[in-house]
Amino acid sequence: MANLQFTELAYTDLNEFIYGQAKKPVVCSNGMVIGGGTVYPEVNLTLPTMLIDEETMPKVLSQYEEMIHGICSKAHELLSPGIIIEIELLPPCTFNPQWGIDVTKVVKGVMNEYYTKFGLKSLLRMTVVDVREGKTLTHMYKGEHWDNVVNTFRGCAEAGADFLAIESIGGKHLHDEAVMNCDLPKALFSLGVVGCRDMITLWDEIVKIAAETNCIPSGDTACGFANTSMVMAHKNFIPKVFAAIDRVMCAVRTLVAVERGAIGPDKDCGYEGVYLKAITGTPISMEGRTAACAHSSSVGNIAACLADCWSNESVENVRLLGGMAPTVYIEQLIYDCRIMNVAASRGSALEMRDILAESDRMFDPQAYILDPRVVLRISQEIVQGKTHFERTKIAASATIKELRAAFQDGLLQLDAKELKYLDILEKQLKSIPDDEAEFTKMMLKNNTIDKFDPAKYDFNIDSAAK
């Protein structure tokens, strides 16, 4: 049974809905408070192209050690009040949990060294890769793939991780097909039915591990879902309005992590985090212009409006003119955060927020739906839903209405193709029955096992509709 305890918004006053401040700040053992008034830089880094196996693991660990030394040294040099480091483990380091544990130990060891020597405060977010896919997957919640995910979470937590996170993928293959065909009903099924159900099982386990290891369950992200739509829209493979609607629908799925016990900060590449903050008061990490190293986007400034942590998405350990890339990017993030924090200290945070929003929102529907005013209006509609399915359907409907009204009022630029697809998607949405069981039967009838195997999810119509 879904636990939809968030039936009202955490925020009713737009003037309180701001970056650096969250209704439910996360207080960490080293004194850093996420959402307590200071925006912290969160640098995300990864290995250069290289083979990861037992023979190369010493080189892998050396790469991580080098990256963290560079980051911490620069943060100390620039007198940062605190930093967050995120490691998104690569698949071999989840298929082999001990490798992920070894990475955690090396990274945390360097972070502890800089705290001991220089008093540099830092927090480590370990993001376990969701390996529950592929031809060898036998079941989503038992067997080798599930055990590797769970064991990696537990091992990383015991090795010193402060935050646990994941970019979960339950229902992703259904969603990929939905994106390619601009199929809103299939996207809704993958997110609001299959995805939310998967999140309940997964996050109950993550929260349990966090409680047993004195670690913080931070959050999930729609990286494998709405970010796919975002990239496809940027390449003009699909309409931008589909990507915008998809993003807001994903908020319901990502919200399940908080419903099951995650407390934030939500992960950076989940741009839908603004809706989580509006509904739950949970602090969020966001990314925008400083994530151009990983992917282009249309939300470079507006993404910072409500950020409690500011991230770069991910960058490889390669040499740039200014130094190694992770070191360069922590410098950029620190300066971005300084601007926001100083603006707040001068009483100008609302003006800064509104400038960030205005600079992006009219040029792309994906930016428009991140505007704090729009977020609060749509969130108020979402929480009226009584089930995840209903909330996801409301999210789509409310977004379509907002985008249409914004265009009519001259607040959003949409070309003829985008407007045509807005009509098409609205028609698709109206074809979806209100009864979840009826909708599920309809979707399963047209399903192929290679896209979604119900047996691997312990999925049946009766339980899905609860």
Side-chain angles (χ1 to χ4, degrees), residues 126-352:
M126 292 302 298
T127 298
V128 175
V129 65
D130 193 347
V131 297
R132 297 176 301 154
E133 61 179 345
K135 293 180 179 179
T136 60
L137 176 70
T138 57
H139 199 279
M140 293 293 281
Y141 314 118
K142 58 188 175 185
E144 181 183 9
H145 293 71
W146 171 258
D147 290 344
N148 284 334
V149 170
V150 170
N151 292 336
T152 305
F153 266 122
R154 184 173 295 278
C156 290
E158 292 173 345
D162 298 290
F163 302 129
L164 297 181
I166 192 170
E167 298 174 350
S168 63
I169 59 171
K172 175 172 164 52
H173 294 297
L174 272 171
H175 188 268
D176 287 346
E177 188 174 50
V179 173
M180 292 300 296
N181 297 314
C182 290
D183 186 337
L184 194 60
K186 184 166 287 188
L188 199 155
F189 180 61
S190 70
L191 296 168
V193 180
V194 178
C196 287
R197 179 185 166 93
D198 177 71
M199 288 279 287
I200 291 172
T201 303
L202 176 63
W203 272 93
D204 280 352
E205 185 65 28
I206 296 171
V207 169
K208 175 173 173 283
I209 291 170
E212 293 171 351
T213 56
N214 196 30
C215 197
I216 294 173
S218 59
D220 210 300
T221 165
C223 187
F225 299 88
N227 284 20
T228 301
S229 294
M230 178 178 71
V231 172
M232 297 288 282
H234 181 72
K235 294 180 178 180
N236 293 316
F237 292 153
I238 65 170
K240 295 172 182 176
V241 291
F242 181 92
I245 297 165
D246 198 35
R247 175 67 66 190
V248 183
M249 289 199 301
C250 278
V252 179
R253 174 194 166 278
T254 305
L255 177 63
V256 175
V258 185
E259 292 171 354
R260 310 312 290 189
I263 64 172
D266 188 54
K267 247 185 72 59
D268 56 349
C269 55
Y271 296 88
E272 70 279 2
V274 294
Y275 289 87
L276 271 66
K277 184 169 182 173
I279 294 169
T280 71
T282 302
I284 60 175
S285 184
M286 293 291 285
E287 63 186 41
R289 57 184 175 271
T290 322
C293 54
H295 59 72
S296 184
S297 79
S298 58
V299 298
N301 291 323
I302 199 168
C305 286
L306 302 168
D308 301 297
C309 308
W310 185 237
S311 175
N312 65 310
E313 165 63 38
S314 187
V315 70
E316 291 183 343
N317 191 34
V318 295
R319 183 169 295 281
L320 306 176
L321 290 177
M324 299 306 290
T327 304
V328 170
Y329 272 84
I330 189 63
E331 178 173 331
Q332 291 181 325
L333 293 169
I334 287 171
Y335 280 115
D336 280 351
C337 291
R338 276 190 190 177
I339 292 173
M340 290 189 280
N341 290 330
V342 169
S345 71
R346 291 167 61 95
S348 302
L350 288 175
E351 183 179 12
M352 172 66 83

Side-chain angles (χ1 to χ4, degrees), residues 93 174 394:
C93 293
L174 272 171
I394 290 172

